Amino acid sequence: MRSRQRMFAAVMRLLLKCLRLGRRRRFKLVRQTEQLWHYGHLCLRSLLYNSFTNSDVVLDSLFEPVYWLVDHVTRWFGVVFVALVISLTSSIVAIVYICLLPLILQTYTPAWICWHLAYGHWNLIMIVFHYYMAITTSPGHPPQAKDDLTGVSICRKCIAPKPARTHHCSICNRCVLKMDHHCPWLNNCVGHFNHRYFFSFCLFMTMGCIYCSISGWEMFRDAYAAIERMKLLEKERLPMAANQTYYQTPPPTFSFRQRAFHKSIVYLWVLCSSVALALGALTLWHAALITRGETSIERHINKKERQRLQKKGKVFRNPYSYGGWDNWKVFLGVDVPRHWLTRVLLPSPHLPHGTGLSWDLPPCVTEQRAPLLAI
């Protein structure tokens, strides 16, 4: 009897000891888990903490994969956009030469024929020249050696000198001098050395589209009315053809050549009018920026700076603006009056003022504006 009691007591002591040991181990595991959690949280905050972090920074971080995808898609589809511009422009030129030019030579007076031939070919030459130069001309990039430039910042993406008005293009993955934007229709950045070519192409393309839309308005109305008559006659002929044999079916009222002619005129007018509206708005926007002496990127930067200084009772002055008229002369490279003909109205590959690394006063500026912030 006593031996059984002793055995039972020994078993109970062993069971209680195991329970205490298991409880200690469980508490120890919980403490280790808490310590690991606090340690990981501290490491994460030490690596990612930023006193300037706000909701905008968090959203930019979340949308970073989307930005990466857009940049790479734009980079690879740039060739497609350039091919599309060339093909659409070539189709319009082909329609003008095949359909409109013979009609102009037959019906217009000699004075109007000379006007259309002179203006049309001049406009076409200016479009082709400036588009080719905008594509093939490098916008300009700062040197990689840090000893070549003094007093400039360092780009945090490519770790290279970043002169004034220089910005990093995420699509080209390089810094661009006086960067305005990356244009997918050029498959190239618009910067210091090709900004004039880009704007001139937009301007002359808009002028050419407006010229085609105005000149072809009467032809468009006639062609559209002819197409409507074609559709009406087709509807009337279908019931008649159903009751006749193959050999009794009358020939079509409009030939294939007539159909192609009318549809080509409608295509030309619709495409030119659409491009004139869209590209015309873009051209006016860039004309306003050039008048203020700033780029698309600088417009947003200057707007924020202007608002910040306005709260302090100060006035912001753009240090790169010399007045509306002088800004246009600097942009177009007009130093003397004859340059309005040789450099603006005729194709000219002249370089812009300055190297894009420093911004000294151009010689064509009549008077120097205040380049500092005024109270």
Side-chain angles (χ1 to χ4, degrees), residues 12 53 67 140 217 306 317 349:
M12 292 301 294
T53 301
Y67 299 149
W217 169 244
R306 189 177 294 108
R317 297 187 186 277

Side-chain angles (χ1 to χ4, degrees), residues 214-367:
I214 295 176
S215 301
W217 169 244
E218 295 295 335
M219 298 180 186
F220 165 74
R221 292 177 58 185
D222 296 339
Y224 185 80
I227 292 176
E228 292 298 322
R229 289 197 301 271
M230 291 180 196
K231 294 179 180 179
L232 182 61
L233 291 175
E234 288 292 335
K235 291 181 180 180
E236 294 176 353
R237 287 180 64 254
L238 286 177
M240 297 175 57
N243 299 325
Q244 295 176 346
T245 63
Y246 174 78
Y247 296 101
Q248 294 175 337
T249 303
T253 307
F254 293 92
S255 63
F256 173 78
R257 184 173 181 178
Q258 290 175 329
R259 294 171 183 268
F261 175 84
H262 295 312
K263 291 182 179 180
S264 298
I265 297 299
V266 172
Y267 164 78
L268 178 144
W269 192 88
V270 171
L271 180 60
C272 289
S273 301
S274 303
V275 173
L277 290 175
L279 196 60
L282 179 65
T283 304
L284 291 176
W285 163 255
H286 280 277
L289 293 177
I290 294 169
T291 304
R292 293 195 296 262
E294 57 188 12
T295 62
S296 300
I297 299 177
E298 292 174 349
R299 189 256 178 188
H300 298 285
I301 298 175
N302 294 345
K303 182 180 180 180
K304 292 181 179 180
E305 188 67 15
R306 189 177 294 108
Q307 294 175 351
R308 186 183 68 84
L309 292 176
Q310 188 176 5
K311 295 178 181 179
K312 297 182 178 181
K314 298 181 179 180
V315 179
F316 173 78
R317 297 187 186 277
N318 185 6
Y320 308 110
S321 177
Y322 310 104
W325 183 248
D326 286 337
N327 287 336
W328 277 102
K329 291 198 297 183
V330 172
F331 178 79
L332 297 174
V334 177
D335 297 329
V336 293
R338 70 171 183 273
H339 286 166
W340 289 105
L341 173 64
T342 59
R343 293 187 174 185
V344 178
L345 298 180
L346 294 177
S348 175
H350 66 278
L351 296 176
H353 288 292
T355 60
L357 304 177
S358 59
W359 301 97
D360 300 328
L361 187 67
C364 60
V365 176
T366 55
E367 57 178 323

Side-chain angles (χ1 to χ4, degrees), residues 49-213:
Y49 177 76
N50 189 346
S51 59
F52 297 100
T53 301
N54 51 26
S55 59
D56 295 335
V57 176
V58 174
L59 288 177
D60 289 342
S61 301
L62 293 176
F63 279 95
E64 189 65 29
V66 179
Y67 299 149
W68 180 88
L69 181 61
V70 171
D71 292 343
H72 282 70
V73 168
T74 305
R75 183 184 307 172
W76 289 108
F77 271 82
V79 179
V80 178
F81 291 151
V82 171
L84 185 62
V85 172
I86 295 175
S87 60
L88 292 178
T89 306
S90 301
S91 65
I92 296 299
V93 174
I95 291 173
V96 170
Y97 274 101
I98 296 174
C99 300
L100 298 184
L101 187 59
L103 191 61
I104 290 174
L105 295 177
Q106 294 174 2
T107 58
Y108 283 32
T109 61
W112 277 109
I113 292 175
C114 294
W115 155 253
H116 284 292
L117 290 176
Y119 178 81
H121 287 89
W122 170 78
N123 206 154
L124 179 60
I125 291 173
M126 297 298 285
I127 290 173
V128 173
F129 170 79
H130 287 103
Y131 188 67
Y132 174 79
M133 295 299 293
I135 292 175
T136 57
T137 303
S138 173
H141 306 284
Q144 298 297 315
K146 297 181 180 180
D147 296 335
D148 296 342
L149 297 173
T150 57
V152 297
S153 60
I154 301 297
C155 178
R156 60 186 179 88
K157 294 185 178 180
C158 56
I159 315 300
K162 186 179 178 181
R165 312 187 79 179
T166 300
H167 300 279
H168 187 88
C169 177
S170 58
I171 300 175
C172 298
N173 199 23
R174 294 188 66 181
C175 283
V176 177
L177 299 176
K178 192 192 170 187
M179 179 180 175
D180 188 89
H181 69 286
H182 183 94
C183 182
W185 300 103
L186 301 179
N187 195 27
N188 195 8
C189 270
V190 177
H192 179 62
F193 291 102
N194 64 348
H195 194 181
R196 179 178 64 88
Y197 297 131
F198 164 76
F199 177 79
S200 298
F201 163 73
C202 293
L203 176 63
F204 289 112
M205 179 63 82
T206 303
M207 292 171 56
C209 290
I210 294 175
Y211 164 72
C212 291
S213 298

